[in-house]
Amino acid sequence: MRFTPVFGALVPDPVLHLLWSLEERGVEIRIDGDTLIMKPMSQISDSERVLIRRYKAHFLALVRGCNELA
C-alpha cells in the first residue's frame, strides 16, 4: 500500500481517494468530537463504510487538517 504525507502524517492512498470520491459525490463530511458524520449515507457503499471504519483515525486527521485550512 502506498502512503502520502498530508498535514504531517502519512495517509494511505485509498483513504485519500475515497475522501475525494465522497466529496465529488456531494457527501458532507464533518467531525463531532471523535465521530465522523457523513451525509447522505445513501451515497456510501458498504465496502466504503468498512474502509472508513478501518482507517477512521486517518479520516479524522484529514478532515481536521482541511478544517484548519478553511
Coordinates of all heavy atoms in Angstrom, one line a residue:
M1 N 0.8 -1.2 0.0 CA 0.0 0.0 0.0 C 0.9 1.2 0.0 O 1.9 1.3 0.7 CB -0.9 0.0 1.2 CG -1.8 1.2 1.3 SD -3.0 1.3 2.7 CE -3.7 -0.3 2.6
R2 N 0.5 2.2 -0.8 CA 1.2 3.5 -0.8 C 0.6 4.5 0.2 O -0.5 4.4 0.4 CB 1.2 4.0 -2.2 CG 1.8 3.1 -3.3 CD 2.0 3.8 -4.5 NE 2.8 5.0 -4.3 CZ 3.3 5.7 -5.2 NH1 3.2 5.4 -6.5 NH2 4.1 6.8 -4.9
F3 N 1.5 5.3 0.7 CA 1.1 6.4 1.6 C 1.6 7.7 1.1 O 2.6 7.8 0.4 CB 1.8 6.1 3.0 CG 1.3 4.9 3.7 CD1 1.8 3.6 3.3 CD2 0.4 5.0 4.7 CE1 1.3 2.5 4.0 CE2 -0.1 3.9 5.4 CZ 0.4 2.6 5.0
T4 N 0.8 8.8 1.4 CA 1.1 10.1 1.0 C 1.2 11.0 2.3 O 0.3 10.9 3.1 CB 0.0 10.7 0.1 OG1 0.0 9.8 -1.1 CG2 0.3 12.1 -0.4
P5 N 2.2 11.8 2.4 CA 2.3 12.7 3.5 C 1.3 13.9 3.4 O 1.3 14.6 2.4 CB 3.7 13.2 3.5 CG 4.2 13.0 2.1 CD 3.4 11.9 1.5
V6 N 0.4 14.0 4.4 CA -0.6 15.1 4.4 C -0.7 15.6 5.8 O -0.9 14.8 6.7 CB -2.0 14.5 3.9 CG1 -3.0 15.6 3.8 CG2 -1.9 13.9 2.5
F7 N -0.7 16.9 5.9 CA -0.8 17.5 7.3 C 0.1 16.9 8.3 O -0.3 16.7 9.4 CB -2.3 17.5 7.7 CG -3.3 18.1 6.8 CD1 -4.3 17.4 6.3 CD2 -3.1 19.4 6.4 CE1 -5.2 18.0 5.4 CE2 -4.0 20.0 5.6 CZ -5.1 19.3 5.1
G8 N 1.3 16.5 7.9 CA 2.3 16.0 8.8 C 2.1 14.5 9.2 O 2.8 14.0 10.1
A9 N 1.2 13.8 8.5 CA 1.0 12.4 8.8 C 1.1 11.6 7.5 O 0.8 12.2 6.4 CB -0.3 12.2 9.5
L10 N 1.4 10.4 7.5 CA 1.3 9.5 6.3 C 0.0 8.9 6.3 O -0.5 8.2 7.2 CB 2.4 8.4 6.4 CG 3.8 8.9 6.2 CD1 4.8 7.7 6.4 CD2 4.0 9.5 4.9
V11 N -0.7 9.1 5.1 CA -2.1 8.7 4.9 C -2.1 7.6 3.8 O -1.5 7.9 2.8 CB -3.0 9.9 4.6 CG1 -4.4 9.4 4.3 CG2 -2.9 10.9 5.7
P12 N -2.8 6.5 4.1 CA -2.9 5.5 3.0 C -3.6 6.1 1.8 O -4.6 6.8 1.9 CB -3.7 4.4 3.6 CG -3.6 4.6 5.1 CD -3.4 6.1 5.3
D13 N -3.1 5.9 0.6 CA -3.6 6.4 -0.6 C -5.1 6.1 -0.8 O -5.9 6.9 -1.2 CB -2.8 6.0 -1.8 CG -1.5 6.8 -2.0 OD1 -1.3 7.7 -1.1 OD2 -0.8 6.5 -2.9
P14 N -5.6 4.9 -0.5 CA -7.0 4.6 -0.6 C -7.9 5.5 0.2 O -9.0 5.8 -0.2 CB -7.1 3.1 -0.1 CG -5.8 2.5 -0.4 CD -4.8 3.6 -0.1
V15 N -7.4 6.0 1.3 CA -8.2 6.9 2.2 C -8.3 8.2 1.4 O -9.4 8.8 1.4 CB -7.5 7.1 3.6 CG1 -8.2 8.2 4.3 CG2 -7.5 5.8 4.3
L16 N -7.2 8.7 0.9 CA -7.3 10.0 0.1 C -8.3 9.9 -1.1 O -9.1 10.7 -1.3 CB -5.9 10.4 -0.4 CG -4.9 10.9 0.6 CD1 -3.5 11.1 -0.1 CD2 -5.4 12.2 1.1
H17 N -8.2 8.8 -1.8 CA -9.0 8.6 -3.0 C -10.5 8.5 -2.6 O -11.3 9.0 -3.2 CB -8.6 7.4 -3.8 CG -7.2 7.5 -4.4 ND1 -7.0 8.3 -5.5 CD2 -6.0 7.1 -4.0 CE1 -5.7 8.3 -5.8 NE2 -5.1 7.6 -4.9
L18 N -10.8 7.8 -1.5 CA -12.1 7.7 -1.0 C -12.7 9.0 -0.5 O -13.8 9.4 -0.9 CB -12.3 6.6 0.1 CG -13.7 6.5 0.7 CD1 -14.7 6.2 -0.4 CD2 -13.7 5.4 1.7
L19 N -11.9 9.8 0.2 CA -12.3 11.1 0.6 C -12.6 12.0 -0.6 O -13.7 12.7 -0.6 CB -11.2 11.7 1.5 CG -11.6 13.1 2.1 CD1 -12.8 13.0 3.1 CD2 -10.4 13.7 2.8
W20 N -11.8 12.0 -1.6 CA -12.0 12.8 -2.8 C -13.3 12.3 -3.5 O -14.1 13.1 -3.9 CB -10.9 12.7 -3.7 CG -9.6 13.4 -3.2 CD1 -9.5 14.4 -2.3 CD2 -8.3 13.0 -3.5 NE1 -8.2 14.7 -2.1 CE2 -7.4 13.9 -2.8 CE3 -7.7 12.1 -4.3 CZ2 -6.0 13.8 -2.9 CZ3 -6.3 12.0 -4.4 CH2 -5.5 12.8 -3.7
S21 N -13.5 11.0 -3.6 CA -14.7 10.5 -4.2 C -15.9 10.9 -3.5 O -16.9 11.2 -4.1 CB -14.5 9.0 -4.3 OG -15.7 8.4 -4.8
L22 N -15.9 10.8 -2.2 CA -17.1 11.2 -1.4 C -17.4 12.6 -1.6 O -18.6 13.0 -1.7 CB -16.8 10.9 0.1 CG -16.7 9.4 0.5 CD1 -16.3 9.3 2.0 CD2 -18.0 8.7 0.3
E23 N -16.4 13.5 -1.6 CA -16.6 14.9 -1.8 C -17.2 15.2 -3.2 O -18.1 16.0 -3.3 CB -15.4 15.7 -1.6 CG -15.0 15.7 -0.1 CD -13.7 16.5 0.1 OE1 -12.9 16.7 -0.8 OE2 -13.5 16.9 1.3
E24 N -16.7 14.5 -4.2 CA -17.2 14.6 -5.5 C -18.7 14.2 -5.7 O -19.4 14.8 -6.5 CB -16.4 13.8 -6.5 CG -15.0 14.4 -6.8 CD -14.2 13.5 -7.7 OE1 -14.7 12.5 -8.2 OE2 -13.1 13.9 -8.0
R25 N -19.1 13.2 -4.8 CA -20.5 12.8 -4.8 C -21.4 13.6 -4.0 O -22.6 13.3 -3.8 CB -20.6 11.3 -4.4 CG -20.0 10.4 -5.4 CD -20.1 9.0 -4.9 NE -18.9 8.5 -4.3 CZ -18.8 7.5 -3.5 NH1 -19.8 6.8 -3.2 NH2 -17.6 7.2 -3.0
G26 N -20.8 14.7 -3.4 CA -21.7 15.6 -2.6 C -21.9 15.1 -1.1 O -22.8 15.6 -0.5
V27 N -21.1 14.2 -0.6 CA -21.2 13.8 0.7 C -20.6 14.8 1.7 O -19.5 15.3 1.5 CB -20.5 12.4 1.0 CG1 -20.5 12.0 2.4 CG2 -21.1 11.3 0.1
E28 N -21.4 15.3 2.6 CA -21.0 16.3 3.6 C -20.2 15.5 4.7 O -20.8 14.5 5.2 CB -22.2 17.0 4.2 CG -21.8 17.9 5.4 CD -23.0 18.4 6.1 OE1 -24.1 18.3 5.6 OE2 -22.8 18.9 7.2
I29 N -19.0 15.9 5.0 CA -18.2 15.2 6.0 C -17.8 16.2 7.1 O -17.3 17.3 6.8 CB -16.9 14.7 5.3 CG1 -17.3 13.7 4.2 CG2 -16.1 13.9 6.4 CD1 -16.1 13.3 3.3
R30 N -18.1 15.9 8.3 CA -17.7 16.8 9.4 C -17.4 15.9 10.6 O -17.6 14.7 10.6 CB -18.8 17.8 9.7 CG -20.1 17.3 10.2 CD -21.1 18.4 10.4 NE -22.4 17.9 10.8 CZ -22.8 17.7 12.0 NH1 -21.9 17.9 13.0 NH2 -23.9 17.2 12.3
I31 N -16.9 16.5 11.6 CA -16.5 15.8 12.9 C -17.2 16.4 14.0 O -17.4 17.6 14.2 CB -15.0 16.0 13.1 CG1 -14.2 15.3 11.9 CG2 -14.6 15.3 14.4 CD1 -12.7 15.6 12.0
D32 N -17.7 15.5 14.9 CA -18.3 15.9 16.2 C -17.5 15.1 17.3 O -17.7 13.9 17.4 CB -19.8 15.6 16.2 CG -20.4 16.1 17.5 OD1 -19.8 16.8 18.3 OD2 -21.6 15.7 17.8
G33 N -16.6 15.8 17.9 CA -15.7 15.1 18.9 C -14.8 14.2 18.1 O -14.0 14.6 17.3
D34 N -14.9 12.9 18.4 CA -14.1 11.9 17.6 C -15.0 11.1 16.7 O -14.7 9.9 16.3 CB -13.4 10.9 18.6 CG -12.2 11.6 19.2 OD1 -11.6 12.5 18.5 OD2 -11.8 11.2 20.3
T35 N -16.2 11.6 16.3 CA -17.1 10.9 15.5 C -17.2 11.6 14.1 O -17.3 12.8 14.0 CB -18.6 11.0 16.1 OG1 -18.5 10.4 17.4 CG2 -19.6 10.3 15.3
L36 N -17.0 10.7 13.1 CA -17.2 11.2 11.7 C -18.7 11.2 11.4 O -19.4 10.2 11.6 CB -16.5 10.3 10.7 CG -15.0 10.4 10.6 CD1 -14.4 9.2 9.9 CD2 -14.6 11.6 9.9
I37 N -19.1 12.3 10.8 CA -20.5 12.4 10.4 C -20.5 12.6 8.9 O -19.9 13.6 8.4 CB -21.2 13.6 11.1 CG1 -21.2 13.3 12.6 CG2 -22.7 13.7 10.6 CD1 -21.7 14.4 13.5
M38 N -21.2 11.7 8.2 CA -21.2 11.8 6.7 C -22.7 11.7 6.3 O -23.4 10.8 6.7 CB -20.4 10.7 6.1 CG -18.9 10.7 6.5 SD -18.0 9.4 5.7 CE -16.4 9.8 6.3
K39 N -23.1 12.7 5.4 CA -24.5 12.7 4.9 C -24.4 13.0 3.5 O -23.7 13.9 3.0 CB -25.3 13.7 5.7 CG -25.5 13.5 7.1 CD -26.3 14.6 7.7 CE -26.4 14.5 9.2 NZ -27.1 15.7 9.8
P40 N -25.3 12.4 2.7 CA -26.2 11.3 3.0 C -25.5 10.0 2.9 O -24.6 9.7 2.1 CB -27.2 11.4 1.9 CG -26.5 12.0 0.7 CD -25.4 12.9 1.3
M41 N -25.8 9.1 3.9 CA -25.2 7.8 4.0 C -25.6 6.9 2.8 O -24.8 6.0 2.4 CB -25.7 7.1 5.3 CG -25.1 7.7 6.5 SD -23.3 7.6 6.6 CE -23.1 5.8 6.8
S42 N -26.6 7.3 2.1 CA -27.0 6.5 0.9 C -26.0 6.6 -0.2 O -26.0 5.8 -1.1 CB -28.4 7.0 0.3 OG -28.3 8.4 -0.1
Q43 N -25.1 7.6 -0.2 CA -24.0 7.7 -1.1 C -22.8 6.9 -0.8 O -21.8 7.0 -1.6 CB -23.6 9.2 -1.3 CG -24.7 10.1 -1.8 CD -24.9 9.8 -3.3 OE1 -24.0 9.5 -4.1 NE2 -26.2 9.7 -3.7
I44 N -22.8 6.2 0.3 CA -21.6 5.5 0.8 C -21.9 4.0 0.7 O -22.9 3.5 1.4 CB -21.2 5.9 2.2 CG1 -21.0 7.4 2.2 CG2 -20.0 5.2 2.6 CD1 -20.8 8.0 3.6
S45 N -21.1 3.2 0.0 CA -21.4 1.8 -0.1 C -20.9 1.1 1.1 O -20.1 1.6 1.9 CB -20.6 1.2 -1.4 OG -19.2 1.2 -1.1
D46 N -21.3 -0.2 1.2 CA -20.9 -1.0 2.4 C -19.4 -1.2 2.4 O -18.8 -1.1 3.5 CB -21.6 -2.4 2.4 CG -23.1 -2.3 2.7 OD1 -23.6 -1.2 3.3 OD2 -23.9 -3.2 2.3
S47 N -18.8 -1.4 1.3 CA -17.4 -1.6 1.2 C -16.6 -0.3 1.6 O -15.6 -0.4 2.3 CB -16.9 -2.1 -0.1 OG -17.2 -1.2 -1.1
E48 N -17.2 0.8 1.2 CA -16.6 2.1 1.6 C -16.7 2.3 3.1 O -15.8 2.8 3.8 CB -17.2 3.2 0.9 CG -16.8 3.2 -0.6 CD -17.6 4.2 -1.4 OE1 -18.8 4.6 -1.1 OE2 -17.1 4.7 -2.4
R49 N -17.8 1.9 3.7 CA -18.0 2.0 5.2 C -17.0 1.2 5.9 O -16.5 1.6 7.0 CB -19.4 1.6 5.5 CG -20.5 2.6 5.0 CD -21.9 2.1 5.3 NE -22.8 2.9 4.5 CZ -24.1 2.9 4.6 NH1 -24.6 2.2 5.6 NH2 -24.8 3.7 3.9
V50 N -16.7 0.0 5.4 CA -15.7 -0.8 6.0 C -14.3 -0.1 6.0 O -13.6 0.0 7.0 CB -15.5 -2.2 5.3 CG1 -14.3 -3.0 5.8 CG2 -16.8 -3.0 5.5
L51 N -14.0 0.5 4.9 CA -12.7 1.2 4.8 C -12.7 2.4 5.7 O -11.7 2.7 6.4 CB -12.5 1.7 3.3 CG -11.2 2.3 3.0 CD1 -10.1 1.2 3.1 CD2 -11.2 2.8 1.6
I52 N -13.8 3.1 5.8 CA -13.9 4.3 6.7 C -13.7 3.9 8.2 O -13.0 4.5 8.9 CB -15.2 5.0 6.5 CG1 -15.3 5.7 5.1 CG2 -15.5 6.1 7.6 CD1 -16.7 6.1 4.7
R53 N -14.3 2.8 8.6 CA -14.1 2.3 9.9 C -12.7 1.9 10.2 O -12.1 2.2 11.2 CB -15.1 1.1 10.2 CG -16.5 1.6 10.5 CD -17.3 0.4 11.1 NE -17.6 -0.6 10.1 CZ -18.6 -0.6 9.2 NH1 -19.4 0.4 9.2 NH2 -18.7 -1.6 8.3
R54 N -12.1 1.2 9.2 CA -10.7 0.7 9.4 C -9.7 1.8 9.5 O -8.8 1.7 10.3 CB -10.4 -0.2 8.2 CG -9.0 -0.8 8.3 CD -8.7 -1.7 7.1 NE -9.6 -2.8 7.1 CZ -10.0 -3.5 6.1 NH1 -9.6 -3.1 4.9 NH2 -10.8 -4.5 6.2
Y55 N -9.9 2.9 8.8 CA -9.0 4.0 8.7 C -9.6 5.3 9.3 O -9.2 6.4 8.9 CB -8.5 4.2 7.3 CG -7.7 3.1 6.7 CD1 -8.3 2.2 5.8 CD2 -6.4 2.8 7.2 CE1 -7.6 1.2 5.3 CE2 -5.7 1.8 6.7 CZ -6.3 0.9 5.7 OH -5.6 -0.1 5.2
K56 N -10.4 5.1 10.3 CA -11.1 6.3 10.9 C -10.1 7.3 11.4 O -10.3 8.5 11.2 CB -12.0 5.8 12.1 CG -12.7 6.9 12.8 CD -13.5 6.4 14.0 CE -14.1 7.6 14.7 NZ -14.8 7.2 15.9
A57 N -9.0 6.9 12.0 CA -8.1 7.9 12.5 C -7.5 8.7 11.4 O -7.3 10.0 11.6 CB -7.0 7.2 13.3
H58 N -7.2 8.1 10.3 CA -6.7 8.9 9.1 C -7.8 9.8 8.6 O -7.4 11.0 8.2 CB -6.3 7.9 8.0 CG -5.1 7.0 8.4 ND1 -3.8 7.5 8.5 CD2 -5.1 5.7 8.8 CE1 -3.0 6.5 8.9 NE2 -3.8 5.5 9.1
F59 N -9.0 9.4 8.5 CA -10.1 10.3 8.0 C -10.2 11.5 9.0 O -10.4 12.6 8.5 CB -11.4 9.5 7.9 CG -11.6 8.8 6.6 CD1 -11.3 7.4 6.6 CD2 -12.0 9.4 5.5 CE1 -11.4 6.7 5.4 CE2 -12.2 8.7 4.3 CZ -11.9 7.4 4.2
L60 N -10.2 11.2 10.3 CA -10.3 12.3 11.2 C -9.2 13.3 11.0 O -9.4 14.5 11.0 CB -10.3 11.8 12.7 CG -11.5 11.0 13.1 CD1 -11.3 10.3 14.5 CD2 -12.7 12.0 13.3
A61 N -8.0 12.8 10.8 CA -6.8 13.7 10.7 C -7.0 14.6 9.4 O -6.7 15.8 9.4 CB -5.5 12.9 10.6
L62 N -7.4 13.9 8.3 CA -7.6 14.7 7.1 C -8.7 15.7 7.2 O -8.5 16.9 6.8 CB -8.0 13.7 5.9 CG -6.8 12.9 5.4 CD1 -7.4 11.8 4.4 CD2 -5.8 13.7 4.7
V63 N -9.8 15.4 7.8 CA -10.9 16.3 7.9 C -10.5 17.5 8.8 O -10.7 18.7 8.5 CB -12.2 15.6 8.3 CG1 -13.3 16.7 8.6 CG2 -12.7 14.6 7.3
R64 N -9.8 17.2 9.9 CA -9.4 18.2 10.8 C -8.4 19.1 10.1 O -8.4 20.4 10.3 CB -8.7 17.6 12.1 CG -9.8 17.1 13.0 CD -9.1 16.6 14.3 NE -10.1 16.1 15.2 CZ -10.2 14.9 15.7 NH1 -9.2 14.0 15.5 NH2 -11.1 14.5 16.6
G65 N -7.5 18.6 9.4 CA -6.5 19.4 8.6 C -7.1 20.3 7.6 O -6.8 21.4 7.5
C66 N -8.1 19.7 6.9 CA -8.9 20.6 5.9 C -9.6 21.7 6.6 O -9.7 22.8 6.1 CB -9.8 19.7 5.1 SG -9.0 18.6 4.0
N67 N -10.2 21.4 7.8 CA -11.0 22.4 8.5 C -10.0 23.5 9.0 O -10.4 24.7 9.0 CB -11.7 21.8 9.7 CG -12.9 20.9 9.3 OD1 -13.4 21.0 8.1 ND2 -13.3 20.1 10.2
E68 N -8.8 23.2 9.3 CA -7.9 24.2 9.8 C -7.5 25.1 8.7 O -7.2 26.3 8.9 CB -6.6 23.5 10.4 CG -6.9 22.9 11.7 CD -5.7 22.1 12.3 OE1 -4.6 22.3 11.7 OE2 -5.9 21.4 13.3
L69 N -7.5 24.6 7.4 CA -7.1 25.4 6.3 C -8.2 26.3 5.9 O -8.0 27.4 5.3 CB -6.7 24.5 5.1 CG -5.4 23.8 5.2 CD1 -5.2 22.9 4.0 CD2 -4.2 24.7 5.4
A70 N -9.5 25.9 6.2 CA -10.6 26.7 5.7 C -10.9 27.9 6.5 O -10.4 28.2 7.5 CB -11.9 25.8 5.8

